Amino acid sequence: MNIRKLLILAGLAGLAFSCVPKEDPLPAPDDGTLLLAEDGKSSYSLVYSSSKTNAEGLNAFFKDKAGVSLPLVSDSSAPSDFEIIVGQCSRPESAEVQKDLEGTFGYSARVVGRKLVIAASDVTWAAFALRAVVKEIKNSCIDGRKIAVPKDFKVQQLMDDPQMIARLIRQGYDFSLSPVLVLTHPPMEDIYVAQGAASDGEFFYFVLRNSGDTKAQVYKYRIKTKTLVAESRVFNGGHCNDLTYDAGRKQLILAHGQSQGQILTPIDAATLEVLPDIHIPVGSGAITYNASRDCYAISQGGSTFYVTDSGFKVTLNTTRTDKTGYTAQGMGSDDSYVYFPMSKSKTDNVLVVYDWKGKFVTTLKINLAVESESMFYAAGRYYVAFYSGSKVGMELYEIKPVHYYTYVK
């Protein structure tokens, strides 16, 4: 047989081999379920975007319950027919389920075609989603070494006010804080020192002062557009150490701080009209208002801790017990905890956490080497304002809690 005939025969053999269809390890059932895995086999891959760690946690579950490790695939790869999509991915099925979350926080997991889609607000919510999905599968979707979910499978949690840092602390989960720049407010001539910050959920409010503590101005930004919409007249707010929003009276409350610690200046949130000063019986360099409790927490110098009613009558007087070595700044709060941003020059920042009874809870690190000034929680998110120097003004960062799913047998 000559070489030409050998090449032809080899080509035909290769063509015949390439025409043999690839058999799926687990053919798609026709009983209204998705057969995700069985006895060490699966047709599925795990698709992820920014949360590979979460996908790895879910894969550990499949290894334990069905004896199979699914391929981990980035959403930048070409799609396949059989996928479990984890988190915010570029797949159209992910975008479809992500619509369940519009205007709120949380997760939604359901079947789209032959794919199980687990959509979430962020990687932390994806971790909570996977915990709930695994629990539901364990309860009703496992038969021996077989994992099959019905086409109407749905696990969902949606909320407007998640208070996620507090939730993670209460439930004892490990997490870190990731700062993400939201906006920068520039210096305004000689008024450039960034101090207090607050929000009513629709607007951000910032106060800047001059270096001599004699001139101050409040600036109002729309949250959705990050645009400046109003500014107050120039006034004397002392050191302008902190700012909070009183939802009951729809006022901003400015704590002068330092030698004027017993002076607060209320400011109408709608008009930014500066109202007559209020004199309180305790020193205040940091202040926060909580709407659900209708009360204030107040501190000065990193040592005192007061809770007052809405009329500034003291209901709790105690001493802070944390010894961080960081410089005290303002404070913020949610329904469960009070948070003290504290800075260390050219290194980092921390949030020191207390409960509303004045008991120290924990210290959380923020890896930013810029001086923190003020902190607040608004519209489901946590924020810390920083002062980056006279040429920058104020920088506002969202402080995102980052928690990943780990499978526990």
Side-chain angles (χ1 to χ4, degrees), residues 64-122:
D64 178 44
K65 294 301 181 182
V68 60
S69 290
L70 308 185
L72 295 175
V73 179
S74 168
D75 68 343
S76 62
S77 64
S80 65
D81 291 334
F82 300 94
E83 294 181 334
I84 301 173
I85 302 172
V86 179
Q88 296 177 336
C89 293
S90 60
R91 298 285 196 264
E93 295 87 355
S94 179
E96 178 180 334
V97 180
Q98 203 74 33
K99 292 177 182 178
D100 296 349
L101 312 178
E102 288 183 356
T104 187
F105 300 89
Y107 58 80
S108 182
R110 55 187 175 90
V111 173
V112 180
R114 290 180 174 179
K115 301 185 181 185
L116 176 60
V117 182
I118 304 166
S121 301
D122 54 32

